[in-house]
């Protein structure tokens, strides 16, 4: 399963996640070769301000979509500390 879709009504949630630290080369390589992330739900962008992970995840609730994406990146050793929704909301993660 590529995203947390169950029997409840689902929608596609768009948000951007920010890591605690810049990913290492090894984490970048793992991201590029991860079968689950290959589905396109979690992207990778990098510029002068740093790295961010834009996401488009289908789930019944935003919290489920964010938890799914955070867990996927956590499996690569990437700790997410902040999430911004496309509606402009920001949620620091602890």
């Amino acid at each position: 399963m590529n995203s947390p879709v169950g029997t409840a009504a689902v929608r596609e949630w768009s948000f951007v996640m920010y890591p605690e630290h810049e990913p290492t080369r090894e984490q970048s390589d793992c991201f590029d070769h991860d079968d689950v992330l290959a589905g396109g739900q979690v992207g990778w962008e990098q510029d002068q301000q740093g790295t961010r992970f834009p996401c488009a995840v289908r789930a019944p609730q935003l919290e489920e979509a964010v938890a799914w994406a955070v867990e996927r990146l956590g499996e690569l050793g990437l700790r997410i500390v902040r999430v911004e929704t496309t509606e402009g909301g920001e949620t620091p993660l602890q």
Side-chain angles (χ1 to χ4, degrees):
M1 178 189 292
N2 287 337
S3 61
V5 177
T7 58
V10 298
R11 68 169 270 200
E12 186 168 280
W13 299 96
S14 297
F15 51 94
V16 179
M17 301 187 306
Y18 296 87
E20 180 176 38
H21 301 288
E22 287 299 309
T24 65
R25 180 175 302 280
E26 292 80 18
Q27 289 168 324
S28 175
D29 290 343
C30 288
F31 181 93
D32 291 341
H33 296 97
D34 187 278
D35 290 336
V36 174
L37 295 173
Q41 292 91 347
V42 179
W44 179 306
E45 295 178 353
Q46 196 162 15
D47 60 21
Q48 294 85 2
Q49 275 110 37
T51 300
R52 63 192 163 277
F53 300 99
C55 302
V57 178
R58 291 181 52 82
Q61 300 292 322
L62 174 60
E63 293 80 9
E64 292 175 79
V66 170
W68 179 87
V70 167
E71 185 177 332
R72 299 292 78 74
L73 292 176
E75 291 169 356
L76 302 179
L78 293 165
R79 183 173 184 273
I80 301 302
V81 294
R82 184 167 52 106
V83 177
E84 292 179 359
T85 65
T86 56
E87 289 82 29
E90 182 177 315
T91 304
L93 298 179
Q94 312 202 329

